[in-house]
Amino acid sequence: MKPAEIEAYVDAASAVLGLALRPEHRPGVLRYFALAAEQAALLEAVPLAMHVEPAPSFVPVSPREREA
């Protein structure tokens, strides 16, 4: 998303939710939303076939456990 799109989305979402963003919080909210949008774009870029289903559960594994 472009910066102007992020600002428009944050403004619209905060209005719909009834959230008043303080001026000093706005830059941080915009930065965080930009980061979240980047991460979402990375996930959406991974091609998945129609038959691929989500895992029933996620169990994190530490790097040390993976090496064993």
Side-chain angles (χ1 to χ4, degrees):
M1 294 179 82
K2 297 175 185 173
E5 293 172 322
I6 291 171
E7 287 189 45
Y9 186 91
V10 167
D11 290 341
S14 62
V16 167
L17 295 171
L19 296 174
L21 291 178
R22 289 182 169 177
E24 63 268 22
H25 294 164
R26 185 174 172 78
V29 171
L30 294 174
R31 264 194 314 273
Y32 179 80
F33 192 87
L35 176 62
E38 286 179 32
Q39 292 172 347
L42 289 173
L43 290 174
E44 289 176 345
V46 176
L48 295 175
M50 290 300 291
H51 69 278
V52 175
E53 295 184 21
S57 65
F58 172 75
V59 180
V61 177
S62 75
R64 290 185 184 148
E65 289 175 310
R66 191 178 344 166
E67 292 172 0

